[in-house]
Amino acid sequence: MLRTLSPIKLSDDEADGFGSTPPPKRVKIEKDFEENEKSSNKRLKDVEIYVPIVYGTMAFWLGRKASESQSHKWTVYVRGATNEDLGVVIKRVVFQLHPSFSNPLRVVDSPPFELSECGWGEFEIAISIYFHSDGCNKQLSLFHHLKLYSEDESGPVSTKKPVVVESYDEIVFPDPSEVFFARVQNHPAVIVPKLPSTFGLLPVPVEHVNEGKKGDTKDNFLSQWFMNFSDEDELLKLATARQQVQYYIGKLRRQLSD
Amino acid sequence: MDAKDILGLPKTPLPLPQEKKSRPQKDSQRKPDGISREVYALTGGLAPLMPSIDVAQQKRRAQVENEKITWQWLSFTNSARKDNLQLYHWVRVVNGVPPIGDYSFAKYNKSVDILKYTDEEYEKYLIDPMWTKNETDQLFDLCERFDLRFVVIADRFQSSRTVEELKDRYYSVSRNILIARASSPGDVSGHPIVKEPYNVSQEIERKRALSMVLSQTKHQERKDAEVLAEAKRISESRIAARSAEESELPDTSNAGAEGTERAIVPADTASPSSSLQFASGNVAHPTSMAENASVTASLRMLRVYMRTYALEQMVQAASSSAGLRTIKRVEQTLQDLGVNLKPKVPTKAVCAEHLELRKEILTLLNLQKQLQYKEAEGSSYREGSYAETPSTPKHLQRGVDQDRAFPDPLSFGGERVGKRDQKRKAPGRLSEAPSSPAQSNKRPRKLKASDG
């Protein structure tokens, strides 16, 4: 599913068009960047920080208001697994829609990283995630298949209940730069290992990175439909399976040594 | 006119749209000019894959209008014959002028130009202790008579000579004459007979090899394919393991194995089992650490990646030494265990567990093979010819192989397996598993029989 995509040609770079980022903030980021330059080569070896994310789509049938070309209103999004604000790590998300949409390349420059559209058809959405420069200069690409029509045909189609398809994944930063680590280490969206105190990195206050709770998807209208991802079930299943396999391995070993 | 008219039924209240619909259809189905009705009917009205209209024919038809064509029963001579035999055939006569020129099939009577040598030339260039002049003369006569069909010539030749001997004599004589007659060697160096001299020993060897291959039994063939596939797998896994090792720690412990591996590849087809006994199934494990490390290193280079991507890479590396077949079996086992092939919530812990489980299943499958091999070995006459160690799984017993990791079919749904496996018979895999049709607990007996 995942591969590093050749960089999508962004006709509009940060400078033009997308006025959602207020200019003062941009200056701040640039200042950060300059500071980072000095120590950006300094990396924390064998440290791994990661960001649990969920990406997917949610589609509402429009019911009476549905027309032939616009039967559903849907939203594609990248969110924190526990609905935390991802803005601390992600700078920009580009959604590539079906070419039949006008402007199929949609850029979202600030959290929440979501995009709503109306349409009638299902298709594959390419999602490119760009990070703040202290994290990584490369982008990641994900693919998600937009689902409008539920496979479960038990209940009647409702305008109230959306069709939700989500995938859990984790963005992993191996050997992060010290600056990045310091900046994100106390953010709830980011999971960092406990470092021995010898590193002596002072956490940078988080608040300056993103003003307010703007990107937090907790208050989002859609959030009531978000799925909860827990690995407990899966871990349990895996543990049982491993036990079983190990039992048979032991049995076979005994048979072989006879 | 439609079916309703014929049947005398009243028209439906919607005659207009019907008419509209049917008309364009008829248009599109009209037979194009220049193609016979019968041929067109065969296409079923679909566009033919190949051009069905001969353009040349259409052009000629245009001319036909001012030509008067008659067919006449005329005699003809054939320049390919020397006996002036007169035969008759129908000839297309345009405007009363019969066609002139040679009989149109005469050109197909090809004959070979065979060099002739004089007695003097023979004395000078062509003496060969193995051949008398009489024999050589006879050979050249027959060559001319039978147009170099050496099999026929060998049949008619008085003294018994092999086809290769005859060919050798003929081509060497021709070659010597050509060179002798040429004013300089450069003149004839491009001549095929001079350029590519007949190589007797190579021809004999070629035919021997060919007849050997052709006279092989199906059984031998299968065994050969098995050995080759096995050897390929071993060398591939060795290469993978070695490159992983080299990138990590320079290790020379493989040197011994390397030598033996080379000996395996051309292994004697008659007894593959004895030469292949240390097959590489377990290679996955000793090297898995190295493989993991190299994957981790390449992931680090990415600076950022998704957890699922990392898992995919790890899984791939862990099963790099296993064949496609084994990988399928691992996945089948995962399904039997009720584990997702791809984790739904791929947290770090889940991915690590998932990877470990896969590795353990690989170990389990290898152990099963060993056990099967051991059992097969115990029942065979080859007892005690080599030592059995737990770390040397054997892959040759494909016949008694089972696709299931677990011997107990009750604990997991055992019905689906057979069908799934049958699907797997992709052409690309023929060489890898020549005896691979479905294995399930249901039909081991039949398999053994078909495997011979």
Side-chain angles (χ1 to χ4, degrees):
Chain A
M1 282 302 258
L2 179 103
R3 55 192 142 97
T4 28
L5 204 80
S6 55
I8 297 172
K9 270 256 160 65
L10 283 171
S11 50
D12 351 60
D13 215 335
E14 235 185 337
D16 46 36
F18 295 86
S20 53
T21 338
K25 187 188 158 196
R26 194 181 305 141
V27 171
K28 205 174 270 175
I29 286 173
E30 271 158 24
K31 218 184 271 168
D32 280 350
F33 186 73
E34 273 162 38
E35 282 164 24
N36 293 352
E37 277 298 89
K38 291 168 232 159
S39 53
S40 64
N41 286 337
K42 254 190 154 180
R43 293 193 169 270
L44 296 168
K45 278 272 162 211
D46 298 319
V47 173
E48 172 185 295
I49 60 181
Y50 62 93
V51 185
I53 62 158
V54 170
Y55 59 98
T57 49
M58 189 175 291
F60 287 91
W61 181 51
L62 289 173
R64 266 159 198 266
K65 283 178 268 174
S67 69
E68 202 170 312
S69 63
Q70 303 203 324
S71 61
H72 287 76
K73 181 176 162 61
W74 51 262
T75 306
V76 57
Y77 48 83
V78 178
R79 63 174 177 91
T82 47
N83 302 335
E84 304 296 345
D85 177 10
L86 292 178
V88 67
V89 178
I90 298 179
K91 180 172 75 175
R92 173 198 295 149
V93 174
V94 178
F95 299 99
Q96 192 174 8
L97 307 184
H98 192 267
S100 59
F101 283 88
S102 63
N103 280 327
L105 220 55
R106 305 290 173 87
V107 183
V108 180
D109 265 321
S110 63
F113 299 104
E114 56 181 48
L115 179 94
S116 296
E117 259 295 349
C118 288
W120 58 272
E122 299 182 345
F123 60 94
E124 179 139 280
I125 302 173
I127 305 169
S128 305
I129 301 177
Y130 293 75
F131 305 99
H132 292 297
S133 54
D134 56 349
C136 183
N137 287 324
K138 272 185 254 168
Q139 79 265 33
L140 282 180
S141 293
L142 302 169
F143 295 90
H144 178 80
H145 191 85
L146 167 63
K147 198 140 188 55
L148 304 180
Y149 305 95
S150 167
E151 246 136 63
D152 166 36
E153 284 165 17
S154 56
V157 190
S158 154
T159 55
K160 295 278 184 323
K161 199 171 173 292
V163 176
V164 185
V165 181
E166 293 187 330
S167 305
Y168 174 96
D169 214 325
E170 292 176 356
I171 302 171
V172 185
F173 296 92
D175 305 345
S177 71
E178 284 184 6
V179 180
F180 182 57
F181 185 91
R183 186 169 70 80
V184 302
Q185 84 179 116
N186 283 341
H187 196 280
V190 185
I191 298 184
V192 294
K194 288 250 185 317
L195 289 189
S197 54
T198 46
F199 277 94
L201 287 170
L202 285 173
V204 181
V206 183
E207 46 96 24
H208 86 274
V209 182
N210 256 296
E211 49 270 30
K213 281 239 158 191
K214 176 176 117 186
D216 198 328
T217 48
K218 270 175 192 155
D219 306 326
N220 199 312
F221 158 71
L222 301 175
S223 65
Q224 55 179 314
W225 305 107
F226 284 163
M227 293 153 76
N228 279 322
F229 287 88
S230 161
D231 60 356
E232 270 171 45
D233 277 3
E234 213 154 25
L235 280 175
L236 195 70
K237 241 183 225 169
L238 282 165
T240 325
R242 282 191 66 183
Q243 251 176 17
Q244 228 166 328
V245 173
Q246 277 160 4
Y247 166 75
Y248 278 111
I249 288 177
K251 207 167 127 187
L252 282 173
R253 285 237 158 93
R254 277 194 301 279
Q255 273 175 290
L256 271 170
S257 57
D258 281 348
Chain B
M1 182 84 141
D2 62 20
K4 286 187 173 126
D5 288 329
I6 296 167
L7 293 168
L9 292 169
K11 291 257 180 189
T12 49
L14 290 164
L16 265 179
Q18 234 179 355
E19 227 173 10
K20 261 184 195 162
K21 249 185 205 165
S22 63
R23 195 156 287 161
Q25 226 176 358
K26 259 182 199 160
D27 272 354
S28 71
Q29 285 193 355
R30 223 192 51 199
K31 180 177 85 67
D33 293 333
I35 170 170
S36 81
R37 184 168 50 82
E38 290 81 359
V39 171
Y40 185 69
L42 289 175
T43 68
L46 296 169
L49 287 173
M50 292 173 64
S52 52
I53 303 168
D54 187 1
V55 181
Q57 205 179 13
Q58 280 187 318
K59 273 186 194 155
R60 209 175 56 195
R61 261 196 205 158
Q63 290 177 355
V64 161
E65 316 217 334
N66 45 21
E67 280 173 359
K68 197 180 146 230
I69 290 166
T70 53
W71 288 86
Q72 288 177 28
W73 183 248
L74 294 176
S75 74
F76 70 100
T77 53
N78 182 351
S79 67
R81 299 192 73 104
K82 291 179 187 108
D83 54 4
N84 280 326
L85 179 74
Q86 290 257 321
L87 295 167
Y88 286 78
H89 62 181
W90 285 101
V91 181
R92 187 170 175 269
V93 180
V94 181
N95 292 332
V97 186
I100 43 166
D102 196 13
Y103 176 57
S104 58
F105 292 101
K107 62 180 179 227
Y108 297 112
N109 188 42
K110 298 282 183 209
S111 62
V112 185
D113 283 331
I114 297 202
L115 287 171
K116 294 271 164 37
Y117 49 86
T118 60
D119 291 353
E120 196 186 328
E121 276 175 326
Y122 190 91
E123 292 297 319
K124 242 171 138 180
Y125 308 112
L126 306 178
I127 292 199
D128 182 327
M130 302 296 290
W131 285 78
T132 63
K133 182 158 188 306
N134 257 349
E135 272 184 316
T136 312
D137 287 345
Q138 198 205 348
L139 172 68
F140 272 69
D141 282 346
L142 288 169
C143 280
E144 194 163 13
R145 218 174 119 198
F146 296 111
D147 284 329
L148 296 184
R149 290 177 186 92
F150 280 100
V151 179
V152 181
I153 294 165
D155 185 48
R156 310 293 154 100
F157 208 71
Q158 258 146 28
S159 48
S160 74
R161 297 265 192 187
T162 64
V163 174
E164 283 76 25
E165 281 175 309
L166 295 174
K167 279 186 173 178
D168 185 36
R169 181 61 177 160
Y170 171 77
Y171 285 115
S172 59
V173 166
S174 301
R175 193 163 179 262
N176 287 343
I177 299 173
L178 271 174
I179 293 169
R181 285 183 190 166
S183 47
S184 78
D187 284 356
V188 288
S189 64
H191 196 286
I193 289 179
V194 180
K195 209 169 150 193
E196 282 157 75
Y198 182 77
N199 188 338
V200 208
S201 52
Q202 191 192 318
E203 279 299 294
I204 292 171
E205 180 53 30
R206 183 180 68 83
K207 287 192 178 171
R208 195 189 62 79
L210 201 61
S211 75
M212 207 173 74
V213 170
L214 290 174
S215 59
Q216 240 183 356
T217 63
K218 275 255 159 65
H219 179 70
Q220 281 172 312
E221 221 167 89
R222 209 176 302 154
K223 267 193 166 171
D224 267 13
E226 247 171 73
V227 172
L228 285 175
E230 193 66 25
K232 194 172 160 236
R233 242 177 47 67
I234 292 169
S235 56
E236 271 171 6
S237 68
R238 287 269 157 77
I239 289 165
R242 208 172 304 144
S243 63
E245 255 167 46
E246 271 165 17
S247 65
E248 288 307 307
L249 41 135
D251 189 4
T252 49
S253 66
N254 247 1
E258 211 176 318
T260 357
E261 173 200 325
R262 231 171 263 139
I264 287 168
V265 179
D268 187 10
T269 57
S271 59
S273 46
S274 58
S275 51
L276 271 171
Q277 48 167 311
F278 65 97
S280 64
N282 247 10
V283 169
H285 263 184
T287 56
S288 69
M289 294 309 286
E291 275 161 1
N292 273 359
S294 73
V295 171
T296 315
S298 66
L299 285 172
R300 262 185 202 168
M301 302 284 283
L302 289 176
R303 293 282 179 238
V304 65
Y305 55 83
M306 299 305 285
R307 186 75 75 199
T308 42
Y309 175 76
L311 177 63
E312 273 166 33
Q313 297 293 303
M314 292 284 200
V315 165
Q316 225 168 58
S319 46
S320 64
S321 59
L324 208 75
R325 194 183 138 79
T326 312
I327 293 169
K328 289 260 177 195
R329 288 181 59 187
V330 171
E331 293 186 346
Q332 178 61 51
T333 311
L334 280 172
Q335 281 178 341
D336 289 344
L337 289 161
V339 172
N340 295 323
L341 287 186
K342 285 183 177 161
K344 289 268 182 295
V345 189
T347 58
K348 194 175 187 180
V350 167
C351 289
E353 284 285 295
H354 185 91
L355 195 64
E356 281 311 305
L357 176 60
R358 275 181 182 262
K359 284 181 189 164
E360 281 166 1
I361 292 173
L362 264 179
T363 308
L364 177 67
L365 295 177
N366 281 332
L367 285 170
Q368 273 184 346
K369 279 182 192 163
Q370 284 174 43
L371 192 65
Q372 280 157 7
Y373 189 79
K374 195 182 163 191
E375 280 162 7
E377 186 197 343
S379 60
S380 84
Y381 60 90
R382 208 189 286 281
E383 248 177 319
S385 63
Y386 40 78
E388 175 81 21
T389 52
S391 58
T392 58
K394 322 301 191 287
H395 294 266
L396 289 156
Q397 303 301 315
R398 290 191 188 278
V400 287
D401 225 343
Q402 290 179 350
D403 246 13
R404 324 226 74 209
F406 296 94
D408 177 11
L410 291 173
S411 51
F412 314 102
E415 288 303 299
R416 298 162 296 148
V417 193
K419 273 180 197 162
R420 184 163 307 158
D421 281 83
Q422 219 125 39
K423 257 193 226 162
R424 216 185 37 196
K425 278 176 73 181
R429 287 179 36 76
L430 275 176
S431 62
E432 204 236 357
S435 55
S436 79
Q439 267 114 55
S440 73
N441 286 339
K442 285 169 73 185
R443 311 184 297 174
R445 187 142 297 279
K446 191 181 162 195
L447 279 169
K448 265 181 215 165
S450 69
D451 253 338

